Amino acid sequence: MNEDIKQYLKAHREPQLNQLKNFLSLESISSLSEHKDDVKKTADWVADELKAAGLEHVKVMETEKHPVVYGDWLKADGKPTVLIYGHYDVQPVDPIELWETPPFEPDIRDDKIFARGASDDKGQVFMHIKVIEAILKTKGELPVNVKFCIEGEEEIGSPSLDPFVDDHHDLLKADVLLVSDTTMVERGMPSVCYGLRGLCGLQIDLKGPKGDLHSGLYGGAVQNTIHALVELLGTMHNNNGQVTVDGFYDNVRPLTKEEIATYESLSHDDKMKKQVGVKELYGEEGFSTIARIWGRPTLEINGIYGGFQGEGIKTVIPSLAHAKISCRIVPDQKPDEIAELLQKHIAEHLPVGVTAETTLFDQAKPFITPYDHPAIEAAGIALKEAYGVAPTYSRMGGSVPIVETFNTKLGLPAVLMGFGLNEENFHAPNEHFHLENFDKGMEALIDFLYELDKKL
């Protein structure tokens, strides 16, 4: 099916990989202000590639922070319209010393391409652009109408996307949302993701004495701010892996019997231990590993800092201590309600001798869609054609905030066809993308567009 289009991709693979390297070399770190110009340069690069692929009405649209890149092809009269979403921004690269090759100097080895953004999400965005190019170059027309919305703020929680969608309802109107920013279950096992966890991020700042104190002169008389922080954080979990914040689980939607059985069958604990390099896994008691990742909420301490951190020792009682926390939430939890519960817990469990301030960060609502939707069925057919095996219908532990936004504001069902693998180190040093999924993924995306025309 569509062999001429796929042959085009094979014939142009090397120049496409060189183009991908150019994309990955752009330092589009959205969270760091010193890279603002790099982010804009990357938006311009994406716009140029959309034009070269044959998209029309391409424009770089400014927001409060970083631009959105839009383009479309709307000549398939009477056919459904697909809105393709992705992001061109990337995470910071720290710790830089753990990278085997520089993060913005893409390197291909072992049939993988290594660079920041290779898997999350530049590599997958690039695949969509090249699929459209291949179809237009070989067929002259697309089987469906297509719109692209590629943003530059996903890695900082997409703060500008909600107002952008509010202001551009007609521009973004479509029949289905297509996203490749999720993972496959494992290598050789494609998946269609029908659910995402949401996110609630928060920072705790504790303050004790007005300045650092000599531990000999004041030790035993003044609260140690780091001690207080550790004590406070220790009240947030019990020994069974459960979150002990009052009300945290009140609105959690229970997993279905079918989901519980599926997740148990996919929970290969020994493989995961080896993958992440630990002797034992840990999490909420009473649930399989995959159920805990995909269908249960969590509270994670992402960072703790304060006091003296230089070489040697400095005997002080620190004035300040800080922690960063993120909660992954599930249907029907709401990030603002979870934030309120956390703030209440902090106030009620604050040790003596310190004061606390909290700052809210990224927030995203969880998302779930019926996996018997025609667009989901089309994705399943396309993935089976490309990979030779039936796909798994899964949720994902991560968050893609804009998916819920598009569903709520535009009524769009979402098809999450991701081609990354959990082992690809996104958000970590030595991020990479398996090129076998670069190849098979584009074949699946081609077939999906043609299947969608039949299903909708």
Side-chain angles (χ1 to χ4, degrees):
M1 184 178 179
N2 302 316
E3 285 305 314
D4 54 341
I5 308 171
K6 297 172 185 178
Q7 285 300 321
Y8 176 93
L9 290 175
K10 291 177 181 177
H12 292 81
R13 187 175 191 265
E14 287 307 312
Q16 287 178 353
L17 287 178
N18 288 330
Q19 289 175 314
L20 177 56
K21 286 182 177 181
N22 291 335
F23 191 16
L24 295 172
S25 70
L26 298 170
E27 301 182 24
S28 53
I29 305 173
S30 55
S31 63
L32 301 179
S33 57
E34 60 263 35
H35 285 285
K36 183 175 182 179
D37 289 343
D38 294 316
V39 175
K40 176 60 166 63
K41 184 186 299 183
T42 309
D44 291 337
W45 191 96
V46 172
D48 289 342
E49 285 299 309
L50 289 176
K51 292 174 185 175
L55 276 294
E56 300 175 341
H57 309 116
V58 176
K59 45 192 169 183
V60 176
M61 306 178 70
E62 297 297 330
T63 71
E64 286 293 320
K65 291 185 71 69
H66 302 304
V68 172
V69 185
Y70 174 86
D72 62 36
W73 190 93
L74 304 175
K75 298 179 179 178
D77 291 341
K79 304 290 186 177
T81 298
V82 182
L83 177 62
I84 298 172
Y85 164 83
H87 65 94
Y88 62 84
D89 65 320
V90 300
Q91 283 276 329
V93 297
D94 312 87
I96 188 69
E97 67 273 9
L98 296 184
W99 286 81
E100 294 180 16
T101 52
F104 294 107
E105 296 180 18
D107 182 56
I108 294 177
R109 55 186 187 273
D110 301 325
D111 202 35
K112 307 167 191 172
I113 186 164
F114 288 77
R116 174 56 88 228
S119 181
D120 181 22
D121 183 36
K122 285 181 175 178
Q124 301 195 62
V125 165
F126 184 80
M127 291 163 61
H128 284 278
I129 298 173
K130 291 303 158 182
V131 161
I132 297 303
E133 176 188 291
I135 297 174
L136 288 175
K137 294 291 185 183
T138 54
K139 302 292 190 181
E141 61 181 8
L142 301 179
V144 293
N145 298 296
V146 168
K147 296 179 179 180
F148 276 79
C149 178
I150 312 299
E151 67 152 317
E153 298 180 11
E154 196 275 342
E155 299 293 6
I156 55 173
S158 303
S160 299
L161 255 290
D162 271 37
F164 182 86
V165 173
D166 287 338
D167 292 341
H168 299 93
H169 271 224
D170 289 341
L171 185 72
L172 300 173
K173 184 179 178 182
D175 297 293
V176 65
L177 177 69
L178 175 60
V179 181
S180 294
D181 192 19
T182 52
T183 58
M184 297 166 51
V185 172
E186 61 181 56
R187 189 172 180 180
M189 185 182 290
S191 61
V192 183
C193 180
Y194 66 92
L196 298 164
R197 288 197 291 191
L199 180 65
C200 174
L202 179 144
Q203 178 171 314
I204 305 172
D205 300 299
L206 295 192
K207 188 175 189 323
K210 62 183 179 181
D212 290 355
L213 301 178
H214 190 291
S215 66
L217 297 178
Y218 294 95
V222 177
Q223 172 71 276
N224 185 305
T225 315
I226 294 178
H227 293 185
L229 179 63
V230 172
E231 180 183 337
L232 174 62
L233 296 175
T235 67
M236 296 183 177
H237 293 87
N238 64 21
N239 292 332
N240 297 321
Q242 297 162 326
V243 177
T244 50
V245 174
D246 285 346
F248 187 81
Y249 294 105
D250 284 358
N251 295 322
V252 172
R253 185 185 302 182
L255 298 173
T256 66
K257 291 181 179 180
E258 181 182 2
E259 287 175 323
I260 290 171
T262 299
Y263 300 166
E264 285 179 352
S265 71
L266 294 172
S267 294
H268 306 307
D269 287 3
D270 288 341
K271 184 175 181 178
M272 182 171 287
K273 291 176 193 176
K274 183 177 180 181
Q275 176 185 324
V276 302
V278 298
K279 293 183 179 180
E280 297 294 338
L281 300 178
Y282 179 78
E284 185 184 0
E285 193 174 74
F287 295 90
S288 67
T289 298
I290 293 299
R292 295 197 302 259
I293 294 173
W294 289 354
R296 297 295 295 172
T298 63
L299 186 157
E300 301 288 355
I301 301 165
N302 309 123
I304 300 176
Y305 56 103
F308 179 69
Q309 300 174 53
E311 185 177 355
I313 189 170
K314 184 180 181 183
T315 55
V316 296
I317 298 172
S319 169
L320 302 172
H322 315 270
K324 294 180 185 290
I325 290 174
S326 65
C327 296
R328 298 290 176 172
I329 60 177
V330 299
D332 298 294
Q333 292 179 305
K334 298 178 181 178
D336 55 343
E337 292 178 357
I338 294 299
E340 289 181 10
L341 293 176
L342 288 173
Q343 290 168 327
K344 181 180 179 183
H345 182 94
I346 291 165
E348 292 177 349
H349 293 80
L350 187 66
V352 298
V354 295
T355 59
E357 291 186 2
T358 57
T359 304
L360 296 181
F361 290 127
D362 298 359
Q363 293 200 357
K365 295 178 182 178
F367 173 81
I368 195 165
T369 193
Y371 52 85
D372 58 355
H373 189 280
I376 299 287
E377 293 178 2
I381 293 170
L383 287 168
K384 184 176 182 180
E385 177 72 18
Y387 284 87
V389 295
T392 297
Y393 295 89
S394 67
R395 295 202 209 179
M396 193 180 84
S399 308
V400 185
I402 197 61
V403 172
E404 193 277 336
T405 294
F406 280 123
N407 180 257
T408 300
K409 295 182 179 294
L410 297 177
L412 295 183
V415 175
L416 307 175
M417 288 177 68
F419 302 100
L421 297 174
N422 287 331
E423 64 201 56
E424 290 177 335
N425 290 6
F426 29 83
H427 293 205
N430 303 308
E431 180 180 352
H432 56 279
F433 188 42
H434 284 68
L435 293 182
E436 65 179 288
N437 291 326
F438 177 79
D439 297 325
K440 290 181 179 179
M442 286 198 286
E443 292 185 6
L445 291 170
I446 291 168
D447 288 342
F448 170 74
L449 295 178
Y450 281 90
E451 287 293 334
L452 193 64
D453 179 33
K454 302 174 186 176
K455 295 288 184 181
L456 292 184

